[in-house]
Amino acid sequence: MNHRPFEDWLLADEPLNPQQRRELQNHLRVCTQCTAIAEVNLALRKARTAAPAPGFAQRWQARLAAQRRLQRRQQAIGLTILGLGGAALLTWFCAPLFLAFAASPAEWIVQWLGYLLFLTTSLEAAGEAARVLLSVLPEVTPPYFLLVFTSVLGGFSLLGTFSLWQLMHLPQKTKVSQAR
Ligand SMILES: [Zn+2]
């Protein structure tokens, strides 16, 4: 069998015109030797297209590094925003106290001391009440005792909360009255 020019075409792997391609196809149908060469060519072509372009690894690594930098920067921005937000919130909550202290430190200290005194006396009174309640416990039925005890405790905590609220808002009221 005459393998020329088919063998040459296949080995050179050069582009063929339609007529040449038709002749090659006809030859490949009957020639296993040239079919083998054609199959190797096909496999090589596939491998060549599948292989990454030159410099692909470097470009990929560069892109990855850039992405990591961007992620780090976004994290830093997020943390900064979180920190600033926290600081702003803290300032907003504490500003009335600081302003009150700056406006009249002595008054502020007296108010706080008064509050502390009130708190200690309240706690003492609560302790006394609890002691009295505990001493009369045997004579009182449990559900009733529990009701009385919780209402007393609730009343004291309400009083404490109210006085704290008043203390925190009193300086602002004074300032408003001064501005008038
Ligand atoms: Zn052949």
Side-chain angles (χ1 to χ4, degrees):
M1 192 184 282
N2 185 14
H3 300 295
R4 286 178 171 264
F6 313 112
E7 209 175 35
D8 292 335
W9 292 349
L10 288 169
L11 288 174
D13 197 21
E14 56 195 16
L16 306 172
N17 64 43
Q19 203 201 326
Q20 286 173 322
R21 205 174 300 149
R22 222 168 15 247
E23 285 171 28
L24 179 65
Q25 290 300 323
N26 288 337
H27 177 72
L28 288 178
R29 240 168 255 142
V30 292
C31 176
T32 51
Q33 199 181 314
C34 289
T35 303
I37 297 170
E39 271 167 9
V40 168
N41 270 356
L42 205 70
L44 281 175
R45 207 170 295 150
K46 265 187 195 160
R48 233 176 285 143
T49 51
F56 172 80
Q58 284 88 339
R59 278 203 303 278
W60 188 75
Q61 277 169 344
R63 204 181 307 157
L64 197 72
Q67 210 165 12
R68 284 209 185 119
R69 272 201 301 277
L70 188 72
Q71 262 175 2
R72 269 203 294 273
R73 206 179 310 148
Q74 280 171 342
Q75 274 176 353
I77 289 169
L79 278 175
T80 309
I81 287 170
L82 204 72
L84 284 176
L89 211 67
L90 200 71
T91 310
W92 188 68
F93 273 119
C94 295
L97 282 174
F98 283 129
L99 282 175
F101 183 74
S104 49
E107 198 184 323
W108 190 83
I109 287 163
V110 165
Q111 273 178 356
W112 267 101
L113 282 176
Y115 178 71
L116 279 177
L117 199 70
F118 168 78
L119 203 69
T120 29
T121 48
S122 299
L123 282 174
E124 267 173 25
E128 187 72 20
R131 205 175 58 76
V132 168
L133 277 170
L134 280 171
S135 68
V136 299
L137 179 65
E139 290 129 55
V140 189
T141 50
Y144 179 68
F145 162 75
L146 207 68
L147 199 75
V148 169
F149 187 72
T150 44
S151 55
V152 165
L153 212 69
F156 270 114
S157 60
L158 234 144
L159 253 166
T161 312
F162 176 71
S163 67
L164 183 66
W165 179 84
Q166 211 178 24
L167 187 74
M168 282 176 85
H169 287 78
L170 201 68
Q172 285 176 317
K173 272 187 214 155
T174 341
K175 232 165 65 182
V176 170
S177 60
Q178 273 168 356
R180 270 178 200 155

